[in-house]
Amino acid sequence: MHQELLVALTAVIFLGIAAQWVSWKIKVPAILFLLVIGVVAGPVTGLLDPDAMFGELLFPMVSLAVAVILFEGSLTLRFKDLSGLSSMIQRLVTVGMLASWGVATLAAHWFVGFGWQLAALFGALVVVTGPTVIIPLLRSVRPKASVATVLRWEGIVIDPIGALLAVLVYEFILTSAMTGEGQWGAIGLVFLEVIGVGAVLGAAGGHLLGVMLRRHWLPDFLINVVVLAFVLTVFTTSNLLAHESGLLAVTVMGIWMANMKNVPLGDVLHFKETLTILFISGLFILLAARIDFATLAQVGFGSLLVFLAIQFVAQPLKVWLSGIGTGMSWQEKLMIAWIGPRGIVAAAISGLFALKLQDVGFVGAESVVPLTFIVIIGTVVFASATARLMATRLGMAEPEARGVLIVGSNDFSRGVAKALKAQGFRAIIADSDYTGIRQARMEGLDTYFGNVVSEEADRKLDLVGVGRLFAMSLHPELNTLATMRYKAEFGAAYVHVVLTPRETMGSDKQRIARHIQGQVMFGEDIHIGDLRALMDQGGEIYSTRLTETFGWEAYKERHADCGHLLFAISPKGVLHVTGPAFAAKPSADWVLIGLYKARLAEPASLPGPVAEEA
């Protein structure tokens, strides 16, 4: 038995993380793969039976995992960010959310036969989209900036707000079920007790933990585990003081900490995000494995009607109400309404709520999870399959993310930006050096004046169409910070750094650890000082197109010992950066961009503009 449990747990974790990797690779929300794995392992093959495996431990395990998920999500709700958003986004997460809740509640009551309380709970669960499903879709659909910005921020903000709404509805239903229907006075008192205990304990725990972090009372290596222990302690203590108030407590705790001043939450968010990915991956598989096909059949055709109501009534109504007076075009509104996948929080919380409501004998609770999963699958598949086509038809689609964010505004980085711009790539120069930024603007380049790793950059730096980072600053610490920050945005393979003299000639004590930097550009022994010195000696950055008569070998021979090859662009427009990882074999119609001491005369037979000034 112990061996079987060990194998099952290992398989759930391995398959869950594998699903996350596949979803990242092909830019499809992981939720689809996780659900498929759970259904196949559970009701289809019978290999995984969570109730038999864990017995009485199942509910506490799910409860603690959901507590961590809710806390991590609520850490992202900062009121100052909400006040700075456009009226469209503010309305989507308030008026629009309530409209969506109402439509989903009515649909569950009319089409599936849920009682009003259960229908209200289901409606609250499916108002949440969330960044974990929206962001992969935006990367594959690539809608225009106006649409992408609204959808991205709505997903970020509505995640904790929708979760809080679902928790409040759940607390009311559970209080009603345990107190007895019709006893509204008693229900109201118990509900107020739950809300009071959860809110007070969550705020107190969040404030105490925030003070500890702000005053650096904890060593760095203990911060993450202490935060986790705090979350679990607040959750359990709140439940002991007021039955089932723990979820509200951890949600309030996260919101409180997110809005305290000068609390360093970066590492905490990173750790909690990693932990949440692990918990969500396991939870999805376990909850999907508990789905009963007989229960699934009960919701049957009604579930399809619920999905259609949410997709084609709730979404358009929400966007129409939110878009009144905003000046957005009908194409933009239709695109926003078209992309409305329900997210991970809905599925994770629905499983916990259903377990508890079944435990207290609430009629119909067993149908909440399959109906929620059907809506999630339907909305995600619908958006994945049709959104790109719709964006193209409406003229709302952006081209492939070929742009480059360049950190540093020195003469070499500006030369690179001009050369790439001449080849059709978007290039943004980002720096806090006003002199360099002003020069870049005078040269007609897109710029961002400010610290590229600041919170302001996270909100205002327009990265639509940008898929790479070139860290070319003269300051190695800034380069390293930028590569660490944007690895999550672009992926480690698309984050590059030009070494500085310290990295190539300094001692081991002076060099920045290579494993925390990006992909090395141009060569391990080439640094930014060499490249700028070459430009001071009259070197120029220019491009050359290879032909059948003037190929790769001829190019290397002609340019030997007079500079450096920087980039190679394939006939399909793929940008390759030279350096240790460069493995391309350029041939005819490739464009090569290099920095060389003096312009070399090319063969007269070479067609077109042979050497183009960047």
Side-chain angles (χ1 to χ4, degrees), residues 22 28 57 117 159 238 275 347 401 426 453 514 526 556 604 611:
V22 172
V28 172
L57 287 176
Q117 289 186 342
D159 209 18
S238 185
L275 202 59
R426 184 189 180 200
V453 295
R514 187 61 51 84
I526 299 174
K556 289 193 294 183

Side-chain angles (χ1 to χ4, degrees), residues 152-295:
R152 176 175 174 270
W153 275 105
E154 183 211 3
I156 291 172
V157 176
I158 204 172
D159 209 18
I161 294 177
L164 181 59
L165 173 65
V167 168
L168 290 174
V169 175
Y170 162 73
E171 300 289 6
F172 181 82
I173 292 175
L174 192 62
T175 300
S176 174
M178 299 180 66
T179 306
E181 292 187 12
Q183 301 181 32
W184 297 111
I187 292 173
L189 289 175
V190 175
F191 182 64
L192 289 175
E193 179 189 0
V194 169
I195 299 300
V197 170
V200 170
L201 198 58
H207 188 77
L208 176 59
L209 185 56
V211 170
M212 293 173 65
L213 294 176
R214 186 166 57 195
R215 296 184 179 179
H216 304 287
W217 290 352
L218 300 171
D220 289 348
F221 74 95
L222 280 181
I223 288 176
N224 290 326
V225 291
V226 169
V227 171
L228 178 61
F230 247 83
V231 171
L232 300 183
T233 301
V234 167
F235 172 75
T236 303
T237 304
S238 185
N239 275 343
L240 291 174
L241 295 177
H243 194 60
E244 294 302 319
S245 62
L247 293 178
L248 177 62
V250 295
T251 305
V252 172
M253 180 180 175
I255 295 173
W256 189 280
M257 290 181 64
N259 290 279
M260 290 181 66
K261 292 182 179 180
N262 303 319
V263 177
L265 293 176
D267 290 340
V268 174
L269 277 169
H270 181 71
F271 172 71
K272 287 293 178 292
E273 183 181 9
T274 302
L275 202 59
T276 297
I277 290 174
L278 177 63
F279 284 165
I280 283 175
S281 301
L283 271 182
F284 263 58
I285 294 175
L286 292 175
L287 294 175
R290 296 184 73 252
I291 292 178
D292 183 4
F293 283 151
T295 304

Side-chain angles (χ1 to χ4, degrees), residues 102-146:
V103 172
T105 298
L106 292 173
H109 178 70
W110 288 341
F111 301 139
V112 184
F114 279 0
W116 284 114
Q117 289 186 342
L118 203 59
L121 177 61
F122 169 79
L125 288 169
V126 295
V127 300
V128 178
T129 52
T132 53
V133 287
I134 283 292
I135 290 176
L137 276 174
L138 292 180
R139 287 173 179 165
S140 61
V141 176
R142 300 192 306 277
K144 285 196 171 180
S146 57

Side-chain angles (χ1 to χ4, degrees), residues 444-564:
L445 298 171
D446 291 340
T447 62
Y448 173 78
F449 176 55
N451 190 336
V452 76
V453 295
S454 65
E455 291 187 7
E456 187 76 4
D458 288 342
R459 291 192 295 269
K460 295 186 177 180
L461 182 55
D462 180 12
L463 295 179
V464 173
V466 175
R468 286 178 183 264
L469 172 80
F470 292 166
M472 296 180 169
S473 166
L474 304 179
H475 308 287
E477 290 81 8
L478 177 59
N479 289 339
T480 302
L481 285 172
T483 56
M484 293 174 65
R485 159 64 182 84
Y486 287 94
K487 276 182 182 179
E489 187 83 24
F490 303 136
Y494 299 99
V495 172
H496 309 265
V497 61
V498 177
L499 299 180
T500 64
R502 183 196 301 176
E503 274 73 55
T504 58
M505 297 183 295
S507 65
D508 290 341
K509 293 181 179 180
Q510 295 175 312
R511 296 174 184 173
I512 293 176
R514 187 61 51 84
H515 70 276
I516 63 174
Q517 294 179 318
Q519 304 288 325
V520 174
M521 303 179 73
F522 315 139
E524 296 278 359
D525 56 346
I526 299 174
H527 58 72
I528 188 76
D530 292 333
L531 299 169
R532 299 187 69 213
L534 188 56
M535 295 187 73
D536 290 340
Q537 296 166 13
E540 301 177 23
I541 298 176
Y542 63 93
S543 59
T544 304
R545 186 178 299 276
L546 300 183
T547 67
E548 296 292 344
T549 57
F550 186 76
W552 175 229
E553 295 301 326
Y555 179 91
K556 289 193 294 183
E557 181 179 353
R558 180 174 293 276
H559 295 84
D561 301 325
C562 63
H564 306 286

